[in-house]
Amino acid sequence: QVQLVESGGGLVQAGGSLRLSCAASGSIFSINAMGWYRQAPGKQRELVATVTRGGSTHYADSVKGRFTISRDNAKNTVFLQMNSLKPEDTADYFCNAKGVVTSRGVYGYDFWGQGTQVTVSS
């Protein structure tokens, strides 16, 4: 029932910007934390940024000062504004939701989007 759908990925030149969006649907009451992870070919999936329901944020060192995560709790949507993009940012970006609450209670496992490709050319 709960689904996450990402949008906003694409091809951009180094130094450019992209804004990713992820909307959660499925009669959701609340989501404790939402975030973005990325995975490049041959590398492990890594956390990029997270934001809690209360607005606390965390960023990977590699993106601090360049990326900004935000969310709209009313719309169960999380955003990732990516500025000053580098070729090293090229990866599949996945939306993540933890502590999803529906009428059935709180889910004990994470929900993931299908991913959106971000390619940064030099």
Side-chain angles (χ1 to χ4, degrees):
Q1 184 180 13
V2 177
Q3 296 184 89
L4 304 179
V5 180
E6 303 103 331
S7 63
L11 175 65
V12 66
Q13 294 182 347
S17 299
L18 283 174
R19 188 177 192 239
L20 305 183
S21 299
C22 172
S25 63
S27 300
I28 297 168
F29 291 164
S30 65
I31 302 173
N32 180 253
M34 301 186 76
W36 293 92
Y37 292 70
R38 68 185 182 186
Q39 186 167 22
K43 300 188 68 176
Q44 293 186 353
R45 185 173 298 185
E46 64 175 348
L47 186 148
V48 177
T50 60
V51 58
T52 68
R53 183 174 54 199
S56 298
T57 59
H58 173 77
Y59 297 92
D61 289 341
S62 60
V63 306
K64 285 181 179 177
R66 300 189 298 120
F67 292 8
T68 302
I69 190 169
S70 61
R71 65 186 285 178
D72 185 336
N73 290 337
K75 297 181 179 179
N76 292 316
T77 301
V78 63
F79 307 93
L80 185 68
Q81 179 66 47
M82 304 185 293
N83 298 326
S84 301
L85 282 162
K86 305 174 180 179
E88 303 89 83
D89 296 317
T90 296
D92 288 329
Y93 283 71
F94 298 89
C95 181
N96 171 271
K98 300 179 184 294
V100 177
V101 182
T102 70
S103 62
R104 300 187 65 183
V106 59
Y107 283 89
Y109 53 86
D110 294 4
F111 289 89
W112 294 88
Q114 68 177 10
T116 184
Q117 175 66 229
V118 172
T119 302
V120 184
S121 62
S122 60

